[in-house]
Amino acid sequence: MKKIVIFLGVILLVYAFKELSPFEKKLIGNLTAQVQELQQEKLYLHTDKSVYTVGDKLWFRAYQVHAAAIFPMVYSHYVYVDLVDRRDSLIQRIKVVHRDSCFYGQIDIPKDLQQGDYCLRAFTYYMQNIGEDYFFKKKIRVINPKDSRVWTNVTYTKNRENNYTATIQLLDGQGEPYDRTSLTYIAGVKKDQYSVKGARTDKEGKFDVKIDTTMKTIEIEFRDGQPFPFKRYIHIPSQLKDFDVQFFPEGGALLSNNWQQVAFKAIGADGRAVHATGDVYQDSIVIATVKTEHDGMGKFRLPVNPGKTFYAIMRTEEGVEKRFDLPTASETGWGITVTGQDSVLHYRVIKGERAALPEELYAVVHCRGIFIGSTRVNGLTKGTISLGIIPEGISHIVLVDGEGKVYSQRLFFVKRNHRPELKITTNKPTYIARELVEMEIDFEEPYKGLFDGSFSISVTDDQKVVQDSLEDNILSNLLLTSDLKGYIDNPAYYFSDTTAEVANNLDLVMMTHGWTRFDISKLAKGEFSDLKYPLEIGQVISGKVNNFWGKKSKGANIVLLSNYGLCRMVETDESGNFLIDGLAFHDSTTFLVQALSAKGRRGVTVKVDQDEFLPMHYSLPNTLEAKKKEDDFYKKFGQDYYYENGEKVYVLDEVIVSRRKQKKSYSFYDNMANHQLDSARISEYAMMPIEMIIQQLPGVTFEKDDEGEDCFKQFGRKLYVLVNDFEEPMDQIRLIPTGSLLNISLLDQMQGQIFFGDRGKNGVLIISAQPGWTPKEVGRPNMLPFKIMGYQVPSEFYVPKYEIDSVRLDNRYDERSTIYWQPVVKVGKEGPAKLQFYTADTYGKYSVIVEGITSKGVICRKKIPLILK
């Protein structure tokens, strides 16, 4: 915070001797309060790679910075990281705590996750106040070797408006069709039993499915699990060839009697950029021929003649042609335009032919809410802004009157062509397998010894991990994409070079994407956003106690216990609420809370508040082009093997039976279960209700189904539940006493399908209880066992120690795709960071990527090759 105050002081010092109007003083005060007092957070995640195999760990380091000043700064002490699939289902969520001066952890990729693309998103609890648009998001690809047994090729044919036929071809790992194979499918969302339809492939392994543009997925399965259990979701890409073109006059509006620059963006039905060409008409006369220049964006100059209307006829590469009206020209509006030249930005205030000057009109410049300067506008005005005093990134020039009404606004980007660079040196130019790499990380001259910072490093195999030089990285994310709504194609492109073409295309992004993180109109009026989600600087447990009549229980005594020996006591306030703070608990902690009235009686009911999270949305591209690239990727990099305990295991059509430790079984199915909680494990959770005990099984959650009924799910799939081999309603299952539980087993999808058909296709939960148990309403409303999300205890990345003979001579092949990951690498002014690790057994090129931020807020990224030959 001290650095931000100093920076603000330097900016404001420029205006210290300038006489400011009451409006300017108020605006500067509100902007300063917004930056200093309201916590502005940004997050960026550096992951070890972007492609994983099921069973892998996804390693990450989260960088939290001040959203305005881009200094490393910790407001929230906890960060949440989600893995989301294309059905907007949460696969996994973890919570990491600030440790070692940073945030880092790992996500275990479930072994039964379907092969495909997923979205990794990260946020703090407090960041939910500004909406999901400003969460960190990244595409993650997951390879599942078992999915290589069935490859799907899908083509789409349009029948009529909004109606298509999807032709799906099923091939085995050798490219041979599954000919004349019976299957079932569900197009779209399952609404009833009639949604499940049957089909049979032809000799080429193909079958047809009728779909419409409202559907997102097609779920297909082999009927009766033959020739083997198989289930897959096919995600339907956007099919419409329809498109839209939006026109953005510079400054926000067309003003009569001016020449104005107009930007435009062409997007398809899926919201993604498309290439388009066309003509702009004044009445019926062509006055400009236009075309998109970069990622669906373009611009042209337009003579805004008084009393005229303007429209455009645009065409896509597919031959679709449409008419679009340009905004109606205003005769009374005011606007602002900018042009950059070297280190100076020139701005010009323009107006419509009949515009009247407001009593007070100002041109205000700010960068991410940091006040840069303001000028009183007395009419048509020209001016300049020195770019040297403006921080790198997006800035905003606004034409606003003394009442806070915004007349015009324009975004512009300040990019530094020279910044301190990292230097990575290794002890050798090339290496052989299992050889020690000694590495140093420091700053290039002349910055060596002047900067210090915290960084993270990953070393990955280029043959297994595709490196996309244009995807979002720490530089493009923190300076560009994190401040704009909507998807930005290839964001790293705008930092790839310093040419005039790149600068022009970056300015197109500024003209076609609106600024929404800071609303100058509201700030000028002193209106600040309501904050529903509090800043999470510590872990708390809160709740409410009501008396027998349902009224607030003032002064009730609360006792909180945990399975790790915690004991805290508090009293409720006048509203019956309680809050217990100063806690620190990890993700395996369970609690029991007991409430007694102020007079020590049990006749009260206690409830504990749960965290609230914004819903998940998979907002990454799903176009036909993106789908083709995805399919090509998995065909090239998909594999028919995986590693287990260092041994390569191939996926075959035959069923492999291996010996396993004999389990004590109470049900016919227990010995075949993948996961099991025996009586010893269950006894560890004796204070917990059954729904919480069952959630100790991998991936199992207790939530609502599509009809709003309570159910158990595993990785988003509703489980079929049996008690003593018979179905029981959920309200009865929840009443089973913990002391009556003997065993809980979980059958996977394949086993569930084999034994229970469609009922068990998502997996089966087998609960064994003592014979003759009788559910009774013996609940004590003043006592509540519960569990809320705790922080993750991070694992340590494993690095083989090949200096030990027994490890070096191990004949198991080392094919790790990530050979080194270190989330905390500190480079000091006194000297470089020194690292050591060993190479793997795969020869070829590896990529070393270091990302991070200096203590002074300089964003750094460096990539070098590492060669094994």
Side-chain angles (χ1 to χ4, degrees), residues 269-289:
D270 52 9
R272 304 307 311 284
V274 297
H275 179 66
T277 60
D279 297 305
V280 178
Y281 292 79
Q282 175 183 287
D283 295 334
S284 59
I285 301 173
V286 176
I287 58 173
T289 298

Side-chain angles (χ1 to χ4, degrees), residues 624-659:
L624 276 174
E625 181 182 358
K627 185 68 173 66
K628 183 179 183 303
K629 291 181 179 179
E630 179 184 346
D631 290 343
D632 291 344
F633 170 84
Y634 287 111
K635 287 177 181 177
K636 181 177 180 180
F637 292 96
Q639 54 196 39
D640 59 354
Y641 62 87
Y642 60 94
Y643 284 91
E644 189 167 300
N645 299 324
E647 296 289 341
K648 182 181 285 189
V649 180
Y650 284 91
V651 178
L652 304 175
D653 287 345
E654 294 83 5
V655 176
I656 302 175
V657 180
S658 58
R659 183 180 179 184

Side-chain angles (χ1 to χ4, degrees), residues 76-262:
S76 297
H77 285 219
Y78 301 91
V79 168
Y80 296 87
V81 182
D82 293 346
L83 188 63
V84 181
D85 70 12
R86 277 178 163 155
R87 294 177 292 157
D88 298 334
S89 298
L90 179 65
I91 302 300
Q92 217 172 124
R93 170 175 290 150
I94 64 165
K95 179 179 183 178
V96 293
V97 66
H98 185 244
R99 64 173 71 229
D100 298 334
S101 72
C102 65
F103 302 88
Y104 59 91
Q106 72 281 338
I107 289 181
D108 295 319
I109 306 296
K111 289 186 177 181
D112 60 349
L113 201 60
Q114 180 176 317
Q115 181 166 284
D117 290 357
Y118 294 82
C119 178
L120 186 72
R121 76 171 192 173
F123 58 97
T124 67
Y125 200 73
Y126 184 82
M127 284 175 65
Q128 295 183 108
N129 289 302
I130 58 174
E132 192 192 15
D133 287 310
Y134 299 106
F135 290 3
F136 171 85
K137 295 179 183 178
K138 178 178 181 176
K139 180 173 70 177
I140 295 297
R141 286 187 155 156
V142 175
I143 296 172
N144 189 335
K146 293 183 179 179
D147 283 0
S148 65
R149 299 172 70 183
V150 182
W151 291 98
T152 54
N153 292 328
V154 188
T155 57
Y156 300 90
T157 306
K158 185 173 182 179
N159 303 322
R160 56 182 185 278
E161 192 68 23
N162 301 330
N163 186 280
Y164 291 80
T165 296
T167 301
I168 303 172
Q169 183 181 37
L170 304 181
L171 305 172
D172 65 17
Q174 286 70 47
E176 295 297 321
Y178 284 98
D179 62 314
R180 297 175 178 83
T181 303
S182 297
L183 49 87
T184 60
Y185 68 87
I186 301 172
V189 178
K190 182 178 180 180
K191 299 177 181 178
D192 51 43
Q193 66 271 25
Y194 302 107
S195 301
V196 182
K197 300 180 180 179
R200 184 180 176 88
T201 61
D202 60 18
K203 63 180 181 180
E204 295 179 339
K206 296 180 180 180
F207 67 100
D208 291 339
V209 177
K210 302 293 184 182
I211 61 173
D212 61 54
T213 54
T214 65
M215 297 176 179
K216 292 185 177 180
T217 59
I218 304 171
E219 177 185 335
I220 60 175
E221 296 183 72
F222 285 153
R223 186 187 295 275
D224 300 326
Q226 296 299 324
F228 53 83
F230 162 74
K231 179 178 181 180
R232 180 164 299 170
Y233 290 95
I234 295 174
H235 303 281
I236 303 172
S238 299
Q239 296 302 313
L240 288 177
K241 292 185 178 180
D242 193 12
F243 72 107
D244 183 45
V245 179
Q246 294 177 293
F247 292 88
F248 304 89
E250 187 174 18
L254 290 179
L255 303 178
S256 63
N257 207 31
N258 287 280
W259 275 88
Q260 278 184 262
Q261 189 168 238
V262 179

Side-chain angles (χ1 to χ4, degrees), residues 369-383:
I370 298 176
F371 177 79
I372 304 298
S374 64
T375 302
R376 180 78 176 263
V377 175
N378 295 315
L380 300 180
T381 304
K382 294 182 179 180

